[in-house]
Amino acid sequence: MTYAWTANTGSVLSGQSSPYATIQWTQAGLQTANLLLSDTRTSCDTSLSFGVTVNALPDVTISGNDSFCLGDTGSYSLSSTAQSYSWSASSGGTSSTSSFEKIWSGAGQQLVYLSVTDTGTSCVNADTIKIW
């Protein structure tokens, strides 16, 4: 047998000509993975299609100011529902709510990180904002 994988909105990363393939999907929604099996002895071909539900990543864009003076408090937020949040700053501090506050006590560039998990699909997305 020979194998040939294709995907309607994805790229076959590995296994293009093997029984198992790794596909990177580029669009959310109901997608299709296709496999063409060819019997090299009989020259008979069989096509198979597999429906795949690709879940969207949660929206993650940090809102907040990116420039402060020493001692100022920065407030950062994200509006979304049914999510699990994980905030942190490069100079310390964490939060697991939809917002994060940080008193900036050091000069120079700092970073605020946010990782969001969609609790319904377990899809994870992240964002970082540079603070001066």
Side-chain angles (χ1 to χ4, degrees):
M1 292 292 242
T2 61
Y3 305 88
W5 287 93
T6 59
N8 66 328
T9 64
S11 300
V12 180
L13 299 179
S14 64
Q16 174 80 34
S17 57
S18 71
Y20 305 98
T22 300
I23 299 172
Q24 181 179 24
W25 300 101
T26 57
Q27 293 181 15
L30 183 58
Q31 307 304 333
T32 306
N34 304 295
L35 174 60
L36 175 64
L37 296 168
S38 298
D39 188 326
T40 55
R41 293 176 307 172
T42 64
S43 298
C44 292
D45 294 339
T46 301
S47 294
L48 302 168
S49 292
F50 305 91
V52 177
T53 300
V54 179
N55 295 307
L57 292 174
D59 290 331
V60 179
T61 303
I62 299 171
S63 297
N65 291 332
D66 63 357
S67 181
F68 292 96
C69 295
L70 286 175
D72 285 351
T73 299
S75 296
Y76 305 93
S77 63
L78 173 75
S79 60
S80 59
T81 59
Q83 309 297 328
S84 170
Y85 307 94
S86 178
W87 293 88
S88 63
S90 57
S91 59
T94 62
S95 175
S96 59
T97 65
S98 63
S99 63
F100 177 66
E101 285 196 358
K102 171 72 178 162
I103 297 173
W104 296 108
S105 58
Q109 184 179 358
Q110 305 287 326
L111 299 172
V112 173
Y113 308 99
L114 171 62
S115 176
V116 177
T117 303
D118 184 307
T119 54
T121 64
S122 297
C123 292
V124 178
N125 203 358
D127 192 21
T128 302
I129 187 172
K130 293 179 182 177
I131 309 299
W132 289 96

